[in-house]
Amino acid sequence: MQNARNPNELFRDAALRAHYSSRGSHGDLLRISPGWTNWIYWLLVVIFLTGLSYLFFGRVNEYAAGAAIVRSEDRADIHAVSGGMITKIAIRPGQRVTANQLLAQLYDAPEAAELDRLDSEYELQLVKSLNSPLDSVSQQQLAFMRERRQVAAARLNERRITAPRDGTIKDVRIRAGQTVAPGELLLTLDGDGEKLSVVALLPGHYRPLLRKGAPLRLELNGFRYAYQHLAIDLVAEDVIGPNEARKYLGEQVSDSIVLQGPVVIVKADLPSRSFTSDAGEYFFHDGLQGTAEVRVRSERLILTLLPSLKTVWSNSHE
């Protein structure tokens, strides 16, 4: 016969005896192991202290980034002084030339005919002047004819494209029979000691924070993570607009650069003519483009998250 149950008790006596007789009973509502809870507790403490330390001592950097172009310092762009048709090309890419050597010839028949006519008139006027050395009108006419001959000779000389200095022909952009306009690029000439530099176009509002000697990091397009660490050699004084910046770069690369807003021009010399990427060595070339970055600010993380603390921080360090 079962024992009578006390109506004031929640559990039966048999259930209570079974519970207390087995510590590993599956009826436990919550089982806590002191070993792993202590380990988790100290891990959380370390994580919290690490995060708090980083909050106070960690720093956030701000960079001025913009388009960058590799340029040759000894490169000479030769443009047409006057317009006309190319009748002769006297050089080829890679050829060595000397100063004043003929590179190309424009159609010059009208200019040559005009100079011949003025030469004949000048000779006649010279004979007349010699026959009447005291005739002031004849002397004035002779001087006038001499000036006209000089102007005609200068116009004829403009039809001859010559090398401004010694160098090597790099790029020829014309062909015989082509019509060119005044100011059009004809060819390029490289000097003996070809020196390469990087021209970076950084946002104009960073101009007060840029200085000579600051580190600049260059990453060329197509060569990710092949960073070139340089030093700024020149920072332009003025902030200019996109159109002026394109004029500075030249028509060869200006069409491929996208600029938004005012920019400041920064230059840095390349210490070497080659660079390494993916275990390979490659050469820099004029016109290569990339991205330039210059660190302009660095502040503590807590000041970035809580800008209102900047005033308190600055006052405490005065």
Side-chain angles (χ1 to χ4, degrees):
M1 182 176 180
Q2 296 182 352
N3 297 331
R5 178 181 177 187
N6 188 348
N8 296 326
E9 295 180 355
L10 181 61
F11 301 101
R12 294 180 299 168
D13 293 338
L16 293 175
R17 286 195 299 269
H19 174 74
Y20 289 117
S21 62
S22 176
R23 296 181 57 87
S25 174
H26 295 286
D28 292 343
L29 298 178
L30 179 64
R31 298 181 62 190
I32 300 178
S33 173
W36 70 265
T37 52
N38 291 336
W39 182 80
I40 290 294
Y41 170 77
W42 289 111
L43 177 63
L44 294 176
V45 170
V46 171
I47 293 176
F48 174 76
L49 293 177
T50 302
L52 190 63
S53 300
Y54 182 73
L55 186 65
F56 281 94
F57 299 104
R59 307 191 71 88
V60 177
N61 298 325
E62 182 179 356
Y63 293 87
I69 303 172
V70 176
R71 303 298 286 168
S72 174
E73 295 291 331
D74 296 330
R75 177 190 180 102
D77 295 331
I78 301 176
H79 299 79
V81 178
S82 59
M85 183 180 68
I86 301 292
T87 59
K88 179 182 179 182
I89 299 177
I91 44 81
R92 61 183 182 276
Q95 180 178 339
R96 177 74 181 175
V97 297
T98 58
N100 299 320
Q101 180 177 337
L102 179 65
L103 305 179
Q105 178 76 47
L106 294 174
Y107 179 70
D108 61 353
E111 289 79 9
E114 177 68 10
L115 182 60
D116 290 340
R117 185 182 66 81
L118 291 175
D119 283 340
S120 300
E121 293 181 1
Y122 178 77
E123 291 177 358
L124 294 175
Q125 186 62 39
L126 179 61
V127 172
K128 183 178 179 181
S129 176
L130 292 175
N131 292 330
S132 304
L134 300 180
D135 187 357
S136 60
V137 176
S138 179
Q139 296 296 330
Q140 292 177 359
Q141 187 67 22
L142 181 63
F144 175 71
M145 292 298 300
R146 186 183 298 111
E147 292 179 358
R148 291 184 60 187
R149 285 181 66 249
Q150 292 176 352
V151 173
R155 289 178 177 173
L156 179 62
N157 190 57
E158 290 177 356
R159 317 302 290 176
R160 302 177 72 254
I161 311 300
T162 58
R165 53 179 171 80
D166 297 349
T168 303
I169 301 298
K170 282 294 184 181
D171 189 15
V172 178
R173 303 194 177 190
I174 53 175
R175 66 181 187 281
Q178 177 183 350
T179 301
V180 297
E184 185 173 343
L185 179 64
L186 304 180
L187 48 91
T188 59
L189 178 68
D190 280 347
D192 297 330
E194 187 177 0
K195 181 181 179 182
L196 297 176
S197 63
V198 174
V199 177
L201 305 175
L202 304 181
H205 60 270
Y206 286 119
R207 176 58 186 90
L209 303 175
L210 298 172
R211 71 185 190 280
K212 181 179 179 180
L216 180 146
R217 189 178 72 175
L218 171 68
E219 181 182 18
L220 294 175
N221 295 341
F223 298 92
R224 296 189 63 186
Y225 309 118
Y227 298 117
Q228 309 299 315
H229 297 279
L230 313 173
I232 296 178
D233 295 307
L234 174 67
V235 181
E237 291 294 333
D238 299 330
V239 177
I240 60 178
N243 292 335
E244 289 298 322
R246 292 189 180 94
K247 291 179 182 178
Y248 176 83
L249 295 176
E251 59 182 344
Q252 307 96 301
V253 297
S254 60
D255 294 340
S256 61
I257 298 296
V258 178
L259 300 176
Q260 297 179 350
V263 297
V264 58
I265 296 176
V266 172
K267 294 181 65 176
D269 290 336
L270 286 170
S272 173
R273 291 188 51 83
S274 62
F275 65 98
T276 57
S277 176
D278 298 331
E281 185 175 2
Y282 308 92
F283 288 96
F284 290 105
H285 294 276
D286 186 272
L288 282 177
Q289 299 182 19
T291 302
E293 292 183 345
V294 179
R295 190 177 69 176
V296 294
R297 288 193 185 98
S298 180
E299 64 180 10
R300 298 183 185 275
L301 179 59
I302 189 172
L303 299 180
T304 303
L305 299 177
L306 301 173
S308 58
L309 294 179
K310 292 182 180 180
T311 303
V312 179
W313 183 269
S314 59
N315 292 336
S316 63
H317 286 74
E318 289 182 352

